[in-house]
Amino acid sequence: MKSRSSRGADSSDLEKMFLQLVEVTSGDRLMQEVTSTFEANTATAVLGPNSSCSSCLLLTLLKGSHVRGELRVNGMKTRNVRRWAAYLPKNASYGLHGALTVKQSIYWSAVLRSPSSQSKMARFARADVVMERFGLVSVQNQRIGFFSADKNYSQTKHPPRGGVGVVSLSPGQKKRVLVAIELLSLRPLFFADEPTSDLCAAGAKAVVDALVIAARAEGRTCVASVQQP
């Protein structure tokens, strides 16, 4: 099995991968004798009795340490899938820069995650495709915004010193921006830890739709742990 670098790959050249777990047991025994298959072109939701169980599965796949059983990628045994996977951790929205617009955030990510041999126009074209797929074109020139506990703070004002202001994008929109940024890496496996947590029904549906689009449009294997169906 070839290991394809995530830098500079085109979505049409993305190597499809299916993932298999055969009686996998984690070292902390939160996960015991799990057997499952995650297909390419498919987004799979992992439901557990609590968040630690479903999150444990994703971390086990990424790290592969202190694990009994077999982990296979395209039928071949491996210790972990870190080199083929992009990972969106829980509460990752705090990693976004509130002073940047959606377009600036995605464009900069496209520049940083692309090889020097790729032209600037090609990188930006890829970013435009991602924004369109995830329904972010209408808010591309809107600032991501800052976090604030003050609900009376007006969005028309500049954020005060210290970087504390209000959220310009909705939580669902921010999650879609984060998914788009991670998917610019063009790795065939994508894991998201509770991407729908703390979202309303409409926001959660928008994020799930984005994961399904990523799986079907580019042949990815998407796995997400969720607490709400």
Side-chain angles (χ1 to χ4, degrees):
M1 178 179 58
K2 296 184 293 182
S3 173
R4 188 184 300 275
S5 172
S6 64
R7 297 177 61 85
D10 183 82
S11 60
S12 61
D13 298 326
L14 198 67
E15 182 179 0
K16 294 184 179 181
M17 292 185 173
F18 66 90
L19 184 61
Q20 292 176 300
L21 288 76
V22 181
E23 296 185 353
V24 172
T25 300
S26 61
D28 52 17
R29 302 190 68 81
L30 284 174
M31 187 174 66
Q32 299 187 42
E33 297 184 356
V34 173
T35 298
S36 185
T37 300
F38 302 102
E39 300 287 349
N41 295 90
T42 303
T44 304
V46 179
L47 290 162
N50 54 57
S51 60
S52 60
C53 293
S54 52
S55 298
C56 175
L57 172 61
L58 301 186
L59 294 177
T60 298
L61 295 175
L62 287 169
K63 297 180 179 180
S65 57
H66 308 293
V67 174
R68 296 194 301 273
E70 293 183 2
L71 179 60
R72 300 177 182 176
V73 175
N74 287 356
M76 298 187 66
K77 294 182 181 179
T78 182
R79 293 189 61 184
N80 59 66
V81 298
R82 184 179 301 176
R83 55 179 166 171
W84 301 294
Y87 175 59
L88 180 65
K90 185 179 179 181
N91 298 326
S93 58
Y94 287 93
L96 293 174
H97 197 300
L100 298 179
T101 65
V102 172
K103 185 175 182 177
Q104 288 171 334
S105 298
I106 295 179
Y107 269 35
W108 272 111
S109 297
V111 169
L112 295 173
R113 293 168 183 259
S114 302
S116 57
S117 59
Q118 192 174 38
S119 69
K120 183 182 295 186
M121 294 302 295
R123 302 177 197 184
F124 290 168
R126 166 68 181 160
D128 289 335
V129 169
V130 169
M131 283 194 292
E132 183 177 358
R133 282 178 178 169
F134 294 161
L136 296 170
V137 175
S138 61
V139 295
Q140 62 179 324
N141 295 318
Q142 186 173 341
R143 293 186 187 277
I144 290 172
F146 298 86
F147 292 90
S148 175
D150 183 5
K151 297 181 180 179
N152 296 320
Y153 187 85
S154 172
Q155 293 193 15
T156 61
K157 297 180 180 179
H158 295 290
R161 292 181 181 179
V164 180
V166 296
V167 177
S168 295
L169 296 182
S170 70
Q173 289 171 331
K174 295 185 93 172
K175 288 286 188 179
R176 276 184 282 162
V177 172
L178 287 163
V179 172
I181 288 175
E182 287 299 326
L183 291 177
L184 285 169
S185 65
L186 286 174
R187 295 191 178 187
L189 305 178
F190 179 71
F191 301 140
D193 191 1
E194 298 188 26
T196 60
S197 294
D198 302 323
L199 299 181
C200 64
K205 182 180 184 303
V207 172
V208 171
D209 288 343
L211 293 175
V212 172
I213 289 172
R216 293 179 177 175
E218 298 181 341
R220 298 176 191 267
T221 304
C222 295
V223 183
S225 63
V226 296
Q227 285 187 281
Q228 58 192 55

